[in-house]
Amino acid sequence: MSELTATSISPVGPYFSPLVQGYWRLDDWQMTPQQRLSFLKAHIDLGITTVDHADIYGDYRCESLFGQALKLDPSVRQKIQVVSKCDIKLVSEAAPTRKINHYDTSYRHIIQSVDNSLSRIGVERLDVLLLHRPDALMDADEVAEAFTTLRHHGKVKHLGVSNFSPSQFDLLQSRLDESLVTNQVEINPLRFDVIHDGTLDQLQRLRIKPMAWSCLAGGELFNGDSAQATRVRETLQVIADELGATIDQVIYAWVMRLPSAPLPIIGSGNIERVKSAINARSLTLSREQWYRIWVASKGHNVP
């Protein structure tokens, strides 16, 4: 199995494992607290020490489920880097008066969201807080003030963003004394606009590693019936056969082949699938193999 070595995700840190364990589906895994702890320890033993959360995951339940497991062995906290997100407000039983899903990057909401996440997870500090989605009403000065307050009180060490465009990233960075440390974006062979819209170019220029969500396109690459999904799946299988690998390993290798060095987020609660993702690091796609997948997705040759 490929050995995992922690990597700095930006010039100012922090150090993350080169693959990240995502917990957005934790509520679907139907695990007991002890099973959750065992899974957490298992992927830590494999070298995956960074965990990805958001306040809204599992309709606001996943952070608490993770916290229940962590409470069984608090010493595990020293072995992991905790990432969480805020700014999406969901229509939920937890917010019965809310009429629509919307975004909120106000000072008050950011502070309250972090306090809620810390309480649910059962930790004193988030290693990285991400703004989950761009907010059309975001006041960059207000966000900067919230982050300054959170850092002052030791509740958040680093700030990053998720799904931000280069201009949105630059706007927020212009108001911060500390550097943003990542942009968590969707990267998979069906949806990879960030490769061409300047997002990954910006991160490569800044030597900031993106976090890549939905690398497997939510399973669409395996069971989607669109013409695009069918073309890509067939091409992935041919390349997997060439490399003696599995389709999911080729997908992860395709994402990690990008020069911005994305950190793929693994969404499975099956430790064997986690091991398979780790083994993808030993694959090297040639440029031609990488572009064969690009062409299959686009449905045409390169210009």
Side-chain angles (χ1 to χ4, degrees):
M1 184 172 295
S2 176
E3 182 177 350
L4 299 184
T5 303
T7 181
S8 179
I9 64 169
S10 81
V12 298
Y15 278 80
F16 276 9
S17 52
L19 292 101
V20 174
Q21 181 61 49
Y23 277 90
W24 69 85
R25 293 192 181 117
L26 179 57
D27 192 35
D28 299 329
W29 296 348
Q30 300 298 305
M31 292 179 176
T32 65
Q34 183 59 55
Q35 287 171 329
R36 291 173 224 144
L37 177 63
S38 296
F39 176 74
L40 172 58
K41 288 183 173 180
H43 71 67
I44 291 172
D45 288 343
L46 293 171
I48 297 179
T49 59
T50 306
V51 296
D52 182 71
H53 293 276
D55 56 353
I56 64 168
Y57 288 162
D59 195 18
Y60 299 94
R61 289 187 292 270
C62 287
E63 287 182 324
S64 294
L65 295 175
F66 186 87
Q68 291 170 9
L70 197 59
K71 189 175 181 180
L72 297 177
D73 187 352
S75 67
V76 173
R77 173 63 182 101
Q78 306 307 315
K79 302 176 182 179
I80 60 176
Q81 304 82 47
V82 179
V83 180
S84 197
K85 313 177 198 71
C86 73
D87 91 16
I88 299 177
K89 284 186 168 180
L90 292 181
V91 174
S92 165
E93 292 181 2
T97 62
R98 195 169 294 158
K99 296 178 175 60
I100 59 167
N101 296 343
H102 61 284
Y103 307 137
D104 187 346
T105 53
S106 67
Y107 176 93
R108 179 178 179 181
H109 180 68
I110 292 173
I111 299 295
Q112 187 62 59
S113 295
V114 169
D115 285 341
N116 290 342
S117 290
L118 294 177
S119 176
R120 287 190 288 250
I121 299 172
V123 296
E124 295 182 353
R125 183 183 71 181
L126 297 177
D127 294 286
V128 177
L129 171 68
L130 304 180
L131 297 184
H132 205 156
R133 290 279 177 177
D135 172 18
L137 300 179
M138 182 185 79
D139 181 328
D141 290 309
E142 192 172 359
V143 174
E145 183 184 1
F147 181 53
T148 298
T149 299
L150 291 167
R151 275 183 59 90
H152 175 73
H153 291 289
K155 295 180 178 181
V156 171
K157 187 172 184 181
H158 296 285
L159 182 67
V161 295
S162 183
N163 306 298
F164 271 45
S165 70
S167 61
Q168 291 161 343
F169 188 101
D170 284 341
L171 168 60
L172 182 55
Q173 184 61 77
S174 73
R175 300 300 201 272
L176 295 168
D177 294 328
E178 302 289 333
S179 297
L180 294 167
V181 297
T182 193
N183 191 358
Q184 185 178 127
V185 293
E186 183 176 19
I187 310 175
N188 61 63
L190 297 182
R191 290 176 285 277
F192 48 87
D193 289 346
V194 292
I195 294 177
H196 301 298
D197 67 7
T199 300
L200 297 191
D201 296 335
Q202 176 194 48
L203 296 176
Q204 186 179 175
R205 175 175 58 81
L206 297 172
R207 301 190 185 280
I208 293 173
K209 295 179 176 65
M211 298 172 71
W213 63 268
S214 196
C215 294
L216 304 183
E220 189 177 350
L221 285 162
F222 302 96
N223 51 40
D225 56 7
S226 68
Q228 180 195 30
T230 300
R231 290 193 308 267
V232 172
R233 183 164 54 245
E234 291 172 351
T235 300
L236 288 168
Q237 186 60 66
V238 171
I239 294 175
D241 292 341
E242 292 172 0
L243 297 173
T246 61
I247 286 179
D248 62 307
Q249 289 172 334
V250 173
I251 295 168
Y252 284 120
W254 188 84
V255 171
M256 290 186 286
R257 184 71 171 77
L258 292 164
S260 54
L263 309 183
I265 302 173
I266 305 167
S268 175
N270 182 324
I271 200 64
E272 294 306 315
R273 293 181 181 174
V274 174
K275 291 177 181 177
S276 177
I278 292 172
N279 285 332
R281 284 173 48 81
S282 64
L283 297 182
T284 302
L285 269 64
S286 69
R287 286 175 177 265
E288 183 173 347
Q289 287 170 325
W290 192 93
Y291 272 104
R292 281 161 60 189
I293 296 169
W294 187 98
V295 168
S297 182
K298 294 290 188 179
H300 60 73
N301 286 320
V302 298

